[in-house]
Structures are given as C-alpha cells and as structure tokens.
Amino acid sequence: MKITKLNLLTLFIAFALFSCSEDDIITNNPGDATILEFRQELNVSYGSDSDQVFDIYLPANRTLETKVMILVHGGGWTSGDKVDMDPLKELIRQDLPNIAIVNINYRLADPDNQPYPMQIDDITTVINLLKANQNDYIISSDIGFLGTSAGAHLSLLWSYSFDIDNDVQMVASIVGPTNFTDPAYTESENPFLLEIINTFGLDTSTEFLEEISPYHQATSVSPPTILFYGGQDPLIPTSQGVDMETKLSELGVTHQFTLYPNAGHGWVGLELLDTWTKLKAFTETHLE
C-alpha cells in the first residue's frame, strides 16, 4: 500500500529538469562563525528496534527559526522503508532549501505487533528527540508532515490527535486513508480493503475505528492540510479523500484537495507535476 518508487522517481526526474543543482556544502566565510554548513546524519537511532532510525538533513545557514519537514513512508503499515521517500527528500532539498528534513523509519506491524499505537508512539519519540536536540541541530520546533499511503494516515492522525504542543504547521497526505468507519471499508467484500482493517487487529468496534481515523479526530484547530487522491485507487476509496475534504470545510480548517479522476494508488507525468507544484506552494505558505 505505497506509491511505487518508480512513480516517485519519475516525479524527481521531472523536476530535476526544471531546477538548478546546488552544492551540498556551503563553507563558512573566513572569520564568520555564524554561518552554518549543510549537515546530514543518517540512520540516527531513536529506539532499540532496528527500524527505529531516521535520516536528518540540516540546511546551510539555518537558525532556530528553521522549520522541519518530517517524511513518513507508506507500505500498508507492514512494509516500506524511508528510502522510498528519497525522491521527495531530494525535491525538498532542491526546491525548498531552507527547510530541514527528517526522513523516518518506524516499527512495522506484524501479527504480534499492531500498528496502533506503536507507530504513533515512534513518531512521538522522534519529535521529542528533535526537541531535545534543538540547540544542537539548530532548528525550530515548528514541523510539517508529508506522508504517502499508510504514512499519510499516520501523519494525519498524529497531527490531528497527538500534537499537544501545536507544533504542526501543515500536513500533506498523498493517498492516505482517513476514515475506517467508511462503509466503503466496513461493508466491502474486497479482500484488499478488508485486509487494511484487519491490519489493526481484532477490535473493529466503532469506537476504536474512530480513534484511528483522522476523519473523526480532526477539529477546528487542526493544522493546514493538503490532500491528493486517485479516482481509480484500488486501495483507498475515493470517499476517503472526498469526505475528508468535506469535514475540513465544515470545520473551517485551511486545506486544499486534489482528486485525479483517472489515477490509481500513485501517478506519473503531468499529474505528478501538478502534485509537486501544489505541494511546494502549500509548504512555502505554511512552513517556510
């Protein structure tokens, strides 16, 4: 349940044609100790599990006002890896060079370990670690989320339900599930859709399904949200995006919604060009 790496690579290649490259390192001016160099740390551990690692990319010339974009990969909560988000990471570094990036792995679900609350707890741990090291990294506590598929669900859910300090300035969902009480899931006989519900365990009570559904957790103070969905997605019913957009409108939450009628669980070409154009502009407005 993830956008294929090929599709994301297509997005990266398309934009590489329109943007100039820049050096990874900007050296300090002689005698000027206030100019910081680009810095990256890969596979930073935030827990005892091998999946509890993240990559961090800190821009040159950053300050304590530098915002952070957190990337959350897809994979149906049971698979996937932060490397799947590398094309988007490169686009952000290229087109939004003043933003710090944290590309995370999280513990993957299996029959003995349900995704909720385990994966939400991992996101919380990452954010707490960033705050604890804020003066070392030279970053702000203001963050944004960009998630794909299952990672988009986790991004929305954390932003709407667990951001007790109001750190999230924006959240972006690319084909993320939003409402597990949707009849398109609960009344479906499609084994792929049933598997999505079953991933979260045996508790299929309405109360639990609402607890894990961003649709039911959104409030009038939810952060600005941008949503992208495909009209022919075999895993994410169109109602997931349409209903979420309606809910955000009713709540008065700043948001944008794009549905590509002929796209599936990921897209290429002009639709991807449109996605990045809108996502870049939204990020410049709410996170830079």
Side-chain angles (χ1 to χ4, degrees):
M1 195 175 130
K2 62 182 178 181
I3 298 177
T4 64
K5 188 184 299 184
L6 176 61
N7 286 351
L8 287 177
L9 283 172
T10 303
L11 173 63
F12 171 61
I13 292 169
F15 278 91
L17 297 176
F18 296 98
S19 302
C20 297
S21 62
E22 62 180 4
D23 293 337
D24 285 349
I25 301 296
I26 300 177
T27 57
N28 292 344
N29 291 331
D32 189 350
T34 65
I35 297 178
L36 297 173
E37 296 180 346
F38 169 81
R39 172 184 171 189
Q40 71 176 27
E41 294 182 12
L42 305 181
N43 294 313
V44 178
S45 177
Y46 65 90
S48 59
D49 192 281
S50 61
D51 283 328
Q52 291 176 303
V53 294
F54 64 80
D55 301 333
I56 185 167
Y57 304 87
L58 301 167
N61 304 320
R62 63 193 176 277
T63 71
L64 288 173
E65 300 299 318
T66 296
K67 311 300 193 297
V68 181
M69 180 70 84
I70 298 176
L71 307 183
V72 190
H73 70 79
W77 304 276
T78 62
S79 64
D81 188 90
K82 57 185 169 63
V83 69
D84 300 333
M85 301 297 282
D86 277 352
L88 282 169
K89 176 261 293 183
E90 292 297 339
L91 276 173
I92 296 170
R93 284 196 58 204
Q94 183 171 260
D95 289 357
L96 299 165
N98 296 322
I99 293 177
I101 305 166
V102 175
N103 189 11
I104 73 169
N105 271 355
Y106 49 85
R107 287 171 292 174
L108 300 175
D110 58 38
D112 298 320
N113 298 280
Q114 297 175 13
Y116 180 84
M118 176 177 70
Q119 292 166 353
I120 288 292
D121 290 343
D122 281 356
I123 293 174
T124 299
T125 302
V126 169
I127 291 172
N128 288 342
L129 188 150
L130 293 175
K131 287 184 175 183
N133 291 276
Q134 186 175 349
N135 290 328
D136 176 38
Y137 289 142
I138 315 296
I139 53 174
S140 168
S141 59
D142 290 341
I143 61 175
F145 276 101
L146 170 53
T148 61
S149 197
H153 161 260
L154 295 171
S155 298
L156 290 169
L157 186 60
W158 199 94
S159 299
Y160 293 173
S161 298
F162 296 91
D163 181 23
I164 59 175
D165 294 327
N166 297 317
D167 294 320
V168 180
Q169 306 301 300
M170 62 157 285
V171 56
S173 165
I174 301 177
V175 298
T178 62
N179 182 12
F180 295 113
T181 67
D182 186 345
Y185 280 131
T186 60
E187 298 177 10
S188 175
E189 296 182 358
N190 183 324
F192 294 107
L193 299 185
L194 292 174
E195 183 180 354
I196 289 175
I197 298 292
N198 292 337
T199 299
F200 284 87
L202 299 177
D203 187 353
T204 58
S205 67
T206 299
E207 181 180 10
F208 176 73
L209 295 179
E210 289 181 352
E211 183 177 345
I212 63 173
S213 295
Y215 175 88
H216 292 285
Q217 300 304 317
T219 70
S220 61
V221 295
S222 292
T225 301
I226 185 167
L227 308 164
F228 299 94
Y229 291 87
Q232 305 302 316
D233 193 328
L235 297 174
I236 310 300
T238 302
S239 55
Q240 294 287 291
V242 172
D243 292 352
M244 190 74 247
E245 194 276 336
T246 299
K247 181 68 171 289
L248 293 175
S249 294
E250 292 172 347
L251 292 169
V253 174
T254 299
H255 69 283
Q256 291 183 20
F257 171 70
T258 300
L259 176 67
Y260 302 110
N262 298 317
H265 199 62
W267 40 85
V268 296
L270 291 178
E271 290 166 331
L272 272 177
L273 186 64
D274 180 72
T275 297
W276 179 245
T277 300
K278 291 175 178 176
L279 183 55
K280 177 176 178 287
F282 197 84
T283 303
E284 288 172 333
T285 298
H286 298 290
L287 194 63
E288 273 202 317

